[in-house]
Amino acid sequence: MNRLYHVALSPYCRKVRLTLAEKKIEVELVEERYWEQNPEFLRRNPAGRVPILKIDGKTLAESQAICEYLDETHPEPQLIPRKPDARFEVRRLCAWFDDKFNAEVTRKIMGERVWKKIQRKGYPDSKTVKEGLSAIKFHLDYMGWLLEQRRWLAGDVMTLADFTAAAHLSCLDYVSDVDWNRSETVRDWYAKIKSRPAFRSLLADQVPGLPPAPQYTELDF
Amino acid sequence: MNRLYHVALSPYCRKVRLTLAEKKIEVELVEERYWEQNPEFLRRNPAGRVPILKIDGKTLAESQAICEYLDETHPEPQLIPRKPDARFEVRRLCAWFDDKFNAEVTRKIMGERVWKKIQRKGYPDSKTVKEGLSAIKFHLDYMGWLLEQRRWLAGDVMTLADFTAAAHLSCLDYVSDVDWNRSETVRDWYAKIKSRPAFRSLLADQVPGLPPAPQYTELDF
């Protein structure tokens, strides 16, 4: 049986979960409190973090590398298109969300509001949360600008770029920190992604002591 | 003419420069002081950072996405092998260095010692520098462990993983912060990379007010 070591509110784990589900690859989810630095876990992954996917007799780490591998070994449905230009745009946007959006938004908001609480590292720093809430506006506007020219973020088909963005936004939506009124275009895009069967497992997540915001599971939000 | 907007001591720019040079793609280098947020530059790249590559009539951002694009459009010599397993390992290690090594080592040392100086943001914080100098030991040991099993970092051929690691280490070597005595295996690997024609442009870099350490240009260090 394939197995994914993950934590529920990690955008990197969610990106891999969405990819696995879209490709109908069955996987057993195992919650891994990686910050406790369990030696057994560190043996599996010297980088000391999730997601870790056990598949085909291999142990894989790093979410983008895992998703590229899955797209090559299970090409249906394809999440990274064939032409170099289109592949570039997908990868550019994956990096945009996993790197820039994460540093400016996800880490600031989730780090303060969620991870400090779960890892018992003290109280949220409101200045950092405010910076994240301010930066997300620019990113929603950028997404809106892209989506006015294209049906999906990287072009006219749904790709890994959409899953990457949705992975980050869905974590923020769990704690109700996305202003969906800012852009109707972005809200429509998220509603399309959220209604996919691949998204169901994410919507069923429940973190002990941190119930999801009411709109989190609503398909009409 | 192709054009690369870059800064000399950015590992991400160096990774693209090595890839371009290895593939013998000619490019004009344009230094871009991206932190000054020149509006003309921000128009080229809304992410507001380098490298930016102008090639084939397109403007490309994000170093890993650029290198994947170059490997697909200019496949000789190939820097990402064909088989999914091997491609995974290359990408895993690229992420290891660009993400984990960068956060734990490059950003701490170069951020404090170099970027604060160049960007006039004050004095280095010695605690952060020390954390970086301590963390690099673990990474050099991990590289040594990989290289005892393989000729190159990701397997028996040189790949983008080697260029990614060398891009980070060469920046640290410029300011003399790599202890090459820690692992003979790693030193031999770096000597092989450093003697490639693709490396020459990096060794010629001179940052005003910050001359390179004496061993930086030596092929026998």
Side-chain angles (χ1 to χ4, degrees), chain A residues 9 52 54 59 64 81 92 95 109 112 129 141 152 160 162 170 180 187 195 203 221:
Chain A
L9 293 178
I52 300 293
K54 293 195 109 170
T59 301
Q64 181 73 18
R92 179 184 78 82
I109 298 177
E112 295 299 322
V129 173
D141 292 350
W152 296 91
L160 188 60
D162 299 288
S170 67
W180 294 114
R187 190 175 55 212
S195 62
L203 298 182
F221 49 99

Side-chain angles (χ1 to χ4, degrees), chain A residues 46-47 49 58-62 65-66 68-69 72-73 84-85 87-88 91-92 95-96 99-100 138 142, chain B residues 46-47 49 58-62 65-66 68-69 72-73 84-85 87-88 91-92 95-96 99-100 138 142:
Chain A
R49 55 187 184 182
K58 284 178 270 291
T59 301
L60 310 181
E62 297 298 339
I66 292 173
E68 296 253 8
Y69 174 84
E72 289 169 1
T73 53
D85 286 22
R87 295 168 77 76
F88 166 78
R91 290 178 177 134
R92 179 184 78 82
W96 178 287
D99 192 0
K100 186 178 171 70
F138 159 74
Y142 181 57
Chain B
R49 56 188 183 183
K58 285 179 268 291
T59 301
L60 310 182
E62 297 298 337
I66 292 173
E68 297 254 9
Y69 174 84
E72 290 170 0
T73 53
D85 286 22
R87 294 167 77 76
F88 166 77
R91 290 175 177 137
R92 179 184 77 83
W96 177 288
D99 191 1
K100 184 176 172 71
F138 159 75
Y142 181 57

Side-chain angles (χ1 to χ4, degrees), chain B residues 4-21 27 29-35 41 45 49-53 60 62-64 66-67 70 98 115 160 163-164 166-168 170-171 198 201-202 205:
Chain B
L4 182 73
Y5 296 89
H6 83 122
V7 291
L9 293 178
S10 150
Y12 303 99
C13 297
R14 288 181 162 224
K15 170 179 179 166
V16 174
R17 287 165 72 191
L18 287 170
T19 300
L20 288 164
V27 66
L29 292 178
V30 180
E31 179 145 353
E32 180 66 60
R33 298 168 69 86
Y34 64 93
W35 56 90
F41 176 67
N45 178 21
R49 56 188 183 183
V50 288
I52 299 294
L53 178 64
L60 310 182
E62 297 298 337
S63 61
Q64 182 72 17
I66 292 173
C67 293
L70 292 173
D98 280 345
W115 296 110
L160 188 61
F163 279 177
T164 306
H168 284 268
S170 67
C171 291
S201 133
L202 271 56
D205 280 345

Side-chain angles (χ1 to χ4, degrees), chain A:
Chain A
M1 181 66 173
N2 305 318
R3 187 177 282 183
L4 183 73
Y5 296 89
H6 84 123
V7 290
L9 293 178
S10 150
Y12 303 99
C13 298
R14 288 182 163 224
K15 171 177 178 169
V16 174
R17 288 165 72 191
L18 287 169
T19 300
L20 288 163
E22 188 74 18
K23 292 176 179 293
K24 300 194 171 58
I25 304 171
E26 290 203 17
V27 65
E28 180 192 357
L29 291 178
V30 180
E31 179 145 354
E32 179 66 59
R33 297 167 70 86
Y34 64 94
W35 55 91
E36 291 171 358
Q37 303 271 307
N38 171 343
E40 168 71 15
F41 176 68
L42 286 174
R43 206 172 49 74
R44 278 195 293 272
N45 178 22
R49 55 187 184 182
V50 289
I52 300 293
L53 178 64
K54 293 195 109 170
I55 193 169
D56 306 338
K58 284 178 270 291
T59 301
L60 310 181
E62 297 298 339
S63 62
Q64 181 73 18
I66 292 173
C67 293
E68 296 253 8
Y69 174 84
L70 293 173
D71 209 49
E72 289 169 1
T73 53
H74 298 76
E76 289 298 324
Q78 197 158 38
L79 294 177
I80 304 175
R82 285 188 204 284
K83 290 193 179 160
D85 286 22
R87 295 168 77 76
F88 166 78
E89 186 64 355
V90 170
R91 290 178 177 134
R92 179 184 78 82
L93 287 168
C94 290
W96 178 287
F97 288 99
D98 280 345
D99 192 0
K100 186 178 171 70
F101 185 93
N102 183 61
E104 296 174 0
V105 182
T106 317
R107 195 160 58 200
K108 292 196 171 181
I109 298 177
M110 300 297 287
E112 295 299 322
R113 288 214 170 139
V114 174
W115 297 111
K116 273 193 175 172
K117 183 169 179 171
I118 293 178
Q119 301 175 13
R120 296 172 192 240
K121 287 191 173 166
Y123 294 99
D125 174 56
S126 62
K127 186 170 158 282
T128 305
V129 173
K130 266 188 204 152
E131 286 170 4
L133 293 173
S134 167
I136 196 176
K137 295 178 191 168
F138 159 74
H139 287 278
L140 291 172
D141 292 350
Y142 181 57
M143 293 174 72
W145 179 78
L146 288 174
L147 290 165
E148 271 154 30
Q149 304 162 64
R150 308 162 168 182
R151 288 182 53 212
W152 296 91
L153 284 175
D156 284 335
V157 292
M158 192 193 70
T159 67
L160 188 60
D162 299 288
F163 280 176
T164 306
H168 284 268
L169 286 168
S170 67
C171 291
L172 295 161
D173 196 41
Y174 188 98
V175 288
S176 201
D177 278 330
V178 185
D179 174 10
W180 294 114
N181 290 324
R182 190 165 180 92
S183 161
E184 203 174 330
T185 320
V186 177
R187 190 175 55 212
D188 290 350
W189 163 86
Y190 190 64
K192 273 196 292 183
I193 292 252
K194 198 172 175 178
S195 62
R196 296 186 83 80
F199 223 87
R200 275 181 211 147
S201 134
L202 271 56
L203 298 182
D205 279 345
Q206 286 277 354
V207 179
L210 193 76
Q215 87 296 339
Y216 178 68
T217 51
E218 299 285 334
L219 293 183
D220 187 13
F221 49 99

Side-chain angles (χ1 to χ4, degrees), chain B residues 4 7 10 14 17 23 28 31 41 44 54 63 78 84 86 92-93 104 108-109 155-156 162 169 185 200:
Chain B
L4 182 73
V7 291
S10 150
R14 288 181 162 224
R17 287 165 72 191
K23 292 177 178 293
E28 180 193 358
E31 179 145 353
F41 176 67
R44 278 194 293 272
K54 293 196 107 167
S63 61
Q78 197 158 37
R92 179 184 77 83
L93 288 167
E104 296 175 0
K108 293 197 171 180
I109 298 177
D156 285 335
D162 298 287
L169 286 168
T185 320
R200 275 183 211 146

